[in-house]
Amino acid sequence: MTLMSSRTENSARNLIVALAGQGISILLTFLSRTVFLHTLGSTYLGINGLFSNVLTFLNLAELGVGSAITFSLYEPLAENNKYRIASIMWLYKKIYCFIGMIVLALGFLLTPFIRFFITSDTEISYVEVYFALYVINTGISYFFSYKRTLIAADQKQYINTIYQYAAMIVQNIIQIILLFLTHNFVVFLMIQVAATLVQNVAISIKANKMYPYLKNKDIPEIEKSVFVTIKKNTKAMLLHKVGSAVVNSTDNILISKLISIVTVGIYSNYSLVLGALNQLLGQFFTAISASVGNLGAEQDKKALKAAFDKVFFLNFWMYTFCTICCACLFQPFVSLWIGSDMLLGIPVLFVILLNFYMNGMRKCVLTFRESLGLYWYDRYKPAFESVINLGASILLAMKFGILGIFVGTTISCVTTSLWVEPYILCKYGFENKYLNLRTYFIRFLFYTVIGVFDLMICLGAVNMVSVTGIAGFVIKVIIAVLISNAFLVFVFFRNDNFEWLYHTVRHFLERITRKRGDSDVL
């Protein structure tokens, strides 16, 4: 098997398993959320969203070590250098065990003050106990989960995916049953902690079987050059982690403090759907990240640029399609699912979807940037992004409420990430020779204009449907899916990237139905 076909086989296998697991997980998650709302209510749903955001900041103790070490594993894995792999993983284990203890300590220190993040007019019993269980769930994973990084870097992410979704499926089923029987939030959280522990122990055991040399006692000391590279990339990734946490994990905190915890619960239903879509689409980028790193290690810039063009086109198609469908279907879906009293306003929805689209269109650039280890060059970008996001969100929230919080996120993205990240990739990944910023933005804007026209056509068609209820929703789904894709096919059917996408999808379906096919993903 050639290196290219090996990359393709690994990417396809990773993607097929991820999509299957994600699909089942999404269905169970929606069922679990429905049961959660009917048994515990919106207030506890808001607590769930708030605590998840607060714990994102505790996870900053991870310092970006995971991403930095993943990049350092690509070369020794390609060379089958077991001694270097073992030494890197020994360092990884030592760091992650220390981080786990720090996360637990900081979390327990924060527990008595957690009510500060909730509006003073909301009284919730045992909130400290709930938060402590969230802290335990987050902290324990660090003592085992570092080994999943080696499996992913070895282009075998599908193994991680199987364990992850098997645990998630069992967790959701047990939680649903116990919510019906007990209506108890503590029991719900204890099942979550148990599932996290079992999953990570199982992954650790599997990694030891796959890479038995990890258990050797005579592990050589890590090479100084490798350690210096990891240290440098970790410093850069720390700033990226801080920026990401501020931009992506302060919305619920600000809504809880400035609006209400119930509003956090209402928004969390929207973020659940968009989060599920991001996870589903993100499986593609996760599946190919190790392959991109492997391809980049060969220093073939032309092949890398060709791969980028294909992935960027697919990136555009996926997020344009999902954004359009959400714009057309979100409100009727939420009304049917949990009731019209759980709806956000149309202006708020469209700003949320604008942020979803812009962040989605960054996925290709980020995948190539991280797989090529270019964290260092835009290390200061997250600091500016964080300040702009937090400042704009707070100021605008005072005048426009929840809408202002999301507009603040939009402003921070447009003024920083949307242009800095592709600039870094073009300059240091493609040396401004194989891809430059001007060419990138011309294509980005062209794709976006096409997406806007597609959205307007679909909204017009969906709004003409007068049938209500489930039948009306089904009709709207059919219209949105068919028209949005038909328009894109009409625009791009003679495009080289579309031809690649068509053949890739065809062979991908053959892999599923016939267990064969050898189309190159990259």
Side-chain angles (χ1 to χ4, degrees):
M1 181 181 289
T2 66
L3 181 60
M4 178 63 77
S5 63
S6 176
R7 274 199 298 265
T8 298
E9 292 292 337
N10 287 325
S11 294
R13 187 185 298 111
N14 291 338
L15 186 56
I16 290 169
V17 174
L19 290 177
Q22 187 69 37
I24 298 171
S25 174
I26 287 173
L27 292 175
L28 279 173
T29 299
F30 275 103
L31 179 58
S32 176
R33 174 61 60 90
T34 305
V35 174
F36 190 104
L37 276 168
H38 282 88
T39 56
L40 296 176
S42 298
T43 299
Y44 285 96
L45 194 59
I47 290 174
N48 187 65
L50 171 64
F51 288 176
S52 296
N53 276 190
V54 172
L55 285 167
T56 299
F57 287 93
L58 286 182
N59 281 325
L60 291 176
E62 195 265 350
L63 302 174
V65 172
S67 298
I69 288 184
T70 299
F71 175 72
S72 297
L73 286 169
Y74 289 143
E75 185 178 326
L77 280 168
E79 299 172 350
N80 196 30
N81 189 332
K82 297 179 181 179
Y83 293 104
R84 184 186 293 181
I85 295 170
S87 65
I88 292 174
M89 292 304 296
W90 177 85
L91 175 66
Y92 200 2
K93 175 183 178 180
K94 188 175 180 181
I95 294 173
Y96 253 42
C97 287
F98 177 73
I99 291 171
M101 291 186 287
I102 293 295
V103 168
L104 289 172
L106 291 176
F108 290 136
L109 287 174
L110 179 61
T111 299
F113 309 100
I114 194 61
R115 290 182 185 270
F116 170 78
F117 298 102
I118 304 173
T119 49
S120 57
D121 60 344
T122 304
E123 184 60 37
I124 305 171
S125 302
Y126 309 114
V127 68
E128 291 83 6
V129 175
Y130 304 148
F131 184 70
L133 286 170
Y134 272 90
V135 170
I136 293 171
N137 185 64
T138 301
I140 58 175
S141 63
Y142 285 100
F143 296 98
F144 304 97
S145 66
Y146 63 93
K147 290 181 182 177
R148 71 173 70 239
T149 299
L150 176 58
I151 297 174
D154 198 21
Q155 304 183 60
K156 295 180 175 64
Q157 176 63 20
Y158 69 93
I159 295 175
N160 288 331
T161 302
I162 290 172
Y163 281 82
Q164 175 188 347
Y165 288 118
M168 188 178 296
I169 289 167
V170 173
Q171 172 189 322
N172 277 312
I173 291 173
I174 296 175
Q175 284 178 325
I176 289 169
I177 294 171
L178 291 180
L179 277 176
F180 271 123
L181 295 176
T182 68
H183 291 220
N184 191 304
F185 193 39
V186 171
V187 173
F188 178 88
L189 295 178
M190 289 177 67
I191 297 302
Q192 183 173 289
V193 172
T196 299
L197 181 61
V198 170
Q199 176 195 162
N200 284 296
V201 170
I203 281 285
S204 179
I205 294 172
K206 178 64 175 179
N208 286 337
K209 291 181 179 179
M210 293 174 63
Y211 312 100
Y213 52 84
L214 294 178
K215 297 185 291 184
N216 292 344
K217 295 183 178 180
D218 299 325
I219 296 176
E221 186 176 350
I222 191 168
E223 300 169 37
K224 186 176 180 180
S225 60
V226 175
F227 180 76
V228 169
T229 300
I230 293 174
K231 185 177 179 182
K232 177 183 176 181
N233 286 334
T234 297
K235 287 180 180 179
M237 282 305 300
L238 172 60
L239 295 173
H240 287 291
K241 290 281 185 179
V242 172
S244 176
V246 172
V247 172
N248 299 317
S249 301
T250 54
D251 287 346
N252 281 343
I253 296 173
L254 291 176
I255 295 170
S256 175
K257 188 65 181 175
L258 301 177
I259 314 296
S260 72
I261 193 69
V262 174
T263 306
V264 176
I266 294 173
Y267 167 60
S268 70
N269 296 316
Y270 287 79
S271 61
L272 172 69
V273 176
L274 295 179
L277 286 175
N278 266 322
Q279 285 186 328
L280 190 64
L281 301 180
Q283 298 299 342
F284 171 78
F285 299 99
T286 300
I288 69 167
S289 59
S291 298
V292 172
N294 183 280
L295 184 61
E298 296 179 355
Q299 299 297 315
D300 187 343
K301 299 295 184 182
K302 288 184 178 179
L304 197 65
K305 169 59 166 55
F308 177 86
D309 288 342
K310 295 171 183 176
V311 175
F312 190 43
F313 180 74
L314 179 56
N315 188 171
F316 150 73
W317 194 298
M318 292 191 301
Y319 274 92
T320 297
F321 168 68
C322 287
T323 302
I324 290 172
C325 286
C326 286
C328 295
L329 305 170
F330 229 138
Q331 300 298 70
F333 170 73
V334 173
S335 294
L336 285 172
W337 176 33
I338 49 179
S340 57
D341 58 328
M342 300 295 284
L343 293 175
L344 293 172
I346 294 296
V348 176
L349 172 62
F350 272 86
V351 175
I352 290 173
L353 291 179
L354 176 60
N355 292 336
F356 171 77
Y357 174 79
M358 289 194 302
N359 285 317
M361 287 295 285
R362 295 166 52 203
K363 295 289 187 182
C364 176
V365 171
L366 290 175
T367 298
F368 276 73
R369 187 203 68 178
E370 292 175 10
S371 297
L372 298 176
L374 305 177
Y375 326 107
W376 182 257
Y377 300 104
D378 62 345
R379 61 192 181 279
Y380 298 121
K381 182 268 298 181
F384 291 101
E385 185 179 19
S386 301
V387 172
I388 294 170
N389 176 264
L390 205 54
S393 293
I394 292 174
L395 290 174
L396 292 172
M398 294 177 181
K399 185 174 179 61
F400 301 105
I402 188 173
L403 177 64
I405 292 174
F406 296 125
V407 171
T409 302
T410 306
I411 293 171
S412 67
C413 181
V414 171
T415 55
T416 56
S417 297
L418 210 60
W419 68 271
V420 172
E421 290 162 355
Y423 169 78
I424 294 300
L425 180 64
C426 291
K427 182 176 181 179
Y428 298 101
F430 293 106
E431 302 165 357
N432 283 328
K433 177 181 178 182
Y434 301 93
L435 178 67
N436 58 58
L437 192 62
R438 181 175 178 272
T439 302
Y440 169 82
F441 268 116
I442 289 174
R443 185 170 301 175
F444 182 95
L445 293 173
F446 173 68
Y447 285 162
T448 301
V449 169
I450 295 299
V452 170
F453 276 109
D454 199 355
L455 172 62
M456 292 170 63
I457 294 171
C458 286
L459 280 175
V462 166
N463 288 335
M464 292 174 64
V465 177
S466 58
V467 182
T468 59
I470 296 177
F473 179 72
V474 171
I475 294 172
K476 290 178 180 180
V477 170
I478 295 171
I479 291 173
V481 170
L482 292 180
I483 292 182
S484 60
N485 283 294
F487 181 81
L488 294 177
V489 171
F490 173 75
V491 174
F492 293 105
F493 76 98
R494 291 185 177 179
N495 183 280
D496 290 340
N497 289 323
F498 174 77
E499 184 179 349
W500 163 81
L501 178 59
Y502 169 77
H503 289 296
T504 299
V505 172
R506 189 187 69 186
H507 285 295
F508 178 71
L509 293 175
E510 287 178 357
R511 289 178 188 278
I512 297 175
T513 58
R514 304 178 189 177
K515 305 296 183 183
R516 64 181 178 84
D518 55 2
S519 169
D520 282 338
V521 174
L522 291 175

